[in-house]
Amino acid sequence: MPPMRLVIARCSVDYAGRLTAHLPSAPRLILVKADGSVSIHADDRAYKPLNWMSPPCTLKEGAGENDGVWTVVNKAGEKLIITMEEVLHDSSHELGVDPGLIKDGVEAHLQELLADRIETLGDGYSLIRREYPTAIGPVDILCRDATGATVAVEIKRRGEIDGVEQLTRYLELLNRDPHLAPVRGVFAAQEIKPQARVLATDRGIGCVVLDYDGLRGIEDDKLKLF
């Protein structure tokens, strides 16, 4: 794979395509990645670039009277023109093939994350406790909704029919307790199979698809111009 190139330079940037945008002169970090993408960063906004060009695209560095002008063009003919005024740093680094992110979204971790962010289920939700004990095993999360009604939440990585059946058994027991009843159920998973959703709906159980990265506070990595 080609190396990643890091350039810190005082530059201005112009984008011409479906719209136009201009970044006035300032010191910035320019990343030229192995996939061909080019992105311009300021010393804020976390990882989000000020402007970029996604692959496939080509980078041409000007010469002669155009020395210091980089032109990045994608297959749609859109252009990102970077005008260098002063290059402060320019280095390339071989990073090799990345093994990728290994997600650790086990059910116990999902339970912990959802308990910490119980408002994911809706405004006004409050946690009673995790691992609420019953005679047939603990309920993953017991909470209250905005009206004060009790809600039992069963959490799975992959939501299938057996998970709905398990929650149904918990609900039968919980609704015998006058201090908790009426108790409704929520089946929460990273993925819910269609058959499980149909069964849950038939039994009056709500379904929630959990965004693991969202619970962890990781934003979507798809870059957006504005």
Side-chain angles (χ1 to χ4, degrees):
M1 296 179 68
M4 174 182 282
R5 187 176 177 186
L6 308 177
V7 178
I8 299 175
R10 179 173 291 277
C11 63
S12 60
V13 183
D14 291 279
Y15 172 85
R18 289 166 293 179
L19 47 78
T20 59
H22 174 71
L23 293 172
S25 176
R28 298 188 176 94
L29 168 65
I30 303 166
L31 294 182
V32 183
K33 298 177 70 175
D35 62 4
S37 63
V38 178
S39 56
I40 298 97
H41 300 258
D43 193 17
D44 62 5
R45 298 165 57 98
Y47 64 88
K48 293 184 177 180
L50 298 167
N51 216 324
W52 67 92
M53 191 69 79
S54 300
C57 58
T58 58
L59 166 61
K60 181 179 180 181
E61 297 185 44
E65 62 180 18
N66 290 321
D67 185 39
V69 178
W70 290 13
T71 302
V72 188
V73 184
N74 66 13
K75 62 180 181 179
E78 298 169 318
K79 293 183 179 180
L80 194 64
I81 301 170
I82 308 169
T83 303
M84 308 286 190
E85 298 172 15
E86 181 184 8
V87 176
L88 306 173
H89 175 85
D90 190 343
S91 63
S92 297
H93 305 270
E94 295 278 358
L95 300 186
V97 178
D98 191 273
L101 177 66
I102 300 174
K103 294 189 175 182
D104 54 345
V106 296
E107 289 172 13
H109 196 198
L110 285 169
Q111 181 193 118
E112 178 183 353
L113 290 169
L114 185 58
D116 287 341
R117 298 164 178 79
I118 198 67
E119 68 278 0
T120 301
L121 298 177
D123 293 337
Y125 272 69
S126 60
L127 179 69
I128 296 175
R129 67 167 290 177
R130 292 170 51 197
E131 300 288 338
Y132 187 88
T134 75
I136 58 174
V139 177
D140 287 335
I141 289 178
L142 198 69
C143 58
R144 296 192 188 280
D145 65 16
T147 68
T150 309
V151 181
V153 184
E154 180 65 23
I155 299 171
K156 300 292 184 185
R157 292 187 67 182
R158 178 177 296 178
E160 300 188 37
I161 286 177
D162 58 352
V164 178
E165 296 283 8
Q166 182 180 359
L167 179 54
T168 300
R169 293 191 294 271
Y170 288 145
L171 290 171
E172 289 175 354
L173 284 176
L174 292 170
N175 274 299
R176 297 175 189 173
D177 185 339
H179 299 290
L180 297 176
V183 184
R184 65 182 179 86
V186 170
F187 190 50
Q190 289 180 275
E191 174 192 0
I192 299 178
K193 295 293 186 179
Q195 300 92 331
R197 186 179 292 275
V198 169
L199 180 61
T201 301
D202 183 66
R203 295 183 177 179
I205 294 172
C207 292
V208 174
V209 176
L210 298 176
D211 179 354
Y212 181 67
D213 286 342
L215 288 172
R216 294 175 67 200
I218 300 176
E219 296 184 23
D220 186 76
D221 62 356
K222 295 179 181 178
L223 303 181
K224 300 174 183 178
L225 185 58
F226 292 106

